[in-house]
């Protein structure tokens, strides 16, 4: 969504990141004592993360910098990004931060985020936590035919649309949830 599309939505408040740097992140906005909103461009121009400080730990809440912890450990970018250079800068900053601060890393696209929070598990980039996903062999699996909107997470399933394949939708088709075009969808 562009800025013009967002300005008439009543429950959105623009953030101006007026509090300067937060450690190695150049732009931040203090939300409350010990809670910071951090600009983390790359996935989208408006992508951000939240860091909360408590008991000598840093809790990093993020959604689209990585979809799974394996990507953070392996230094791999999200599969979807609007700005490759900004995505790489953000990933580098996140990795530098977690190397230098005891950080509980929580993503919203993976069960690891909840597990990390519940266990107060501090990320150690040199010692990845074994996960089921890391052990799954995806080679040779058939495509599902489903596509996922990289903006809002809507899943297009041909079975729910009279068997119409995503590829056969008209070029001007839009996500029913966030109104983004087909180019914002990825194979599931």
């Amino acid at each position: 969504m562009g800025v013009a599309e967002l300005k008439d939505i009543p429950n959105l408040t623009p953030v101006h990141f007026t509090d300067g740097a937060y450690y190695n992140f150049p732009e931040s906005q203090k939300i409350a004592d010990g809670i910071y909103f951090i600009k983390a461009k790359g996935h989208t121009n408006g992508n951000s993360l939240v860091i909360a400080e408590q008991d000598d730990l840093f809790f990093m809440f993020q959604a689209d910098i990585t979809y799974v912890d394996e990507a953070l450990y392996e230094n791999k970018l999200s599969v979807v990004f609007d700005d490759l250079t900004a995505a790489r800068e953000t990933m580098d900053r996140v990795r530098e931060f977690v190397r230098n601060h005891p950080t509980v890393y929580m993503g919203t696209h993976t069960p690891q985020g909840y597990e990390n929070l519940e266990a107060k598990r501090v990320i150690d980039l040199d010692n990845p936590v074994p996960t089921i996903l890391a052990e799954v062999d995806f080679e040779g699996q058939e495509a599902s035919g489903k596509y996922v909107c990289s903006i809002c997470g809507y899943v297009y399933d041909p079975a729910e649309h009279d068997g119409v394949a995503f590829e056969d939708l008209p070029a001007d088709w839009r996500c029913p949830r966030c109104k983004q075009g087909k180019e914002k969808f990825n194979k599931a």
Side-chain angles (χ1 to χ4, degrees):
M1 287 186 152
V3 174
E5 294 171 296
L6 297 175
K7 73 178 181 178
D8 293 328
I9 299 176
N11 63 343
L12 293 180
T13 303
V15 176
H16 300 287
F17 298 103
T18 58
D19 290 330
Y22 178 84
Y23 294 93
N24 64 316
F25 295 99
E27 297 180 78
S28 73
Q29 185 70 52
K30 184 176 180 180
I31 298 171
D33 286 341
I35 304 174
Y36 299 86
F37 197 51
I38 310 293
K39 186 179 260 190
K41 291 173 28 174
H43 171 69
T44 62
N45 187 39
N47 199 58
S48 55
L49 58 91
V50 172
I51 297 178
E53 303 169 353
Q54 183 185 43
D55 301 329
D56 299 323
L57 289 177
F58 295 85
F59 294 84
M60 184 179 288
F61 300 86
Q62 65 82 33
D64 296 312
I65 295 167
T66 61
Y67 293 152
V68 293
D69 287 7
E70 289 87 357
L72 180 68
Y73 289 123
E74 296 177 21
N75 198 14
K76 292 183 178 179
L77 294 177
S78 165
V79 294
V80 179
F81 44 82
D82 283 344
D83 183 332
L84 175 60
T85 302
R88 173 48 52 203
E89 288 172 359
T90 293
M91 174 66 91
D92 291 346
R93 285 187 181 113
V94 166
R95 287 175 54 84
E96 178 185 346
F97 187 88
V98 301
R99 277 208 187 276
N100 294 305
H101 303 89
T103 304
V104 177
Y105 185 78
M106 294 161 295
T108 59
H109 292 290
T110 174
Q112 294 161 303
Y114 306 107
E115 293 168 6
N116 292 345
L117 177 60
E118 186 175 318
K120 291 188 178 178
R121 182 182 300 133
V122 172
I123 284 285
D124 178 352
L125 295 177
D126 298 320
N127 296 295
V129 173
T131 64
I132 293 171
L133 186 60
E135 298 168 5
V136 174
D137 179 13
F138 291 103
E139 296 294 321
Q141 288 190 354
E142 291 184 32
S144 68
K146 297 176 184 178
Y147 280 72
V148 179
C149 178
S150 63
I151 304 302
C152 71
Y154 174 81
V155 177
Y156 179 87
D157 183 349
E160 295 174 4
H161 297 275
D162 297 323
V164 177
F166 185 81
E167 296 84 356
D168 295 336
L169 292 171
D172 63 349
W173 182 87
R174 299 246 176 237
C175 175
R177 185 181 295 154
C178 70
K179 308 304 182 213
Q180 294 298 306
K182 287 176 68 174
E183 72 280 356
K184 296 295 183 182
F185 279 72
N186 299 295
K187 286 183 180 181

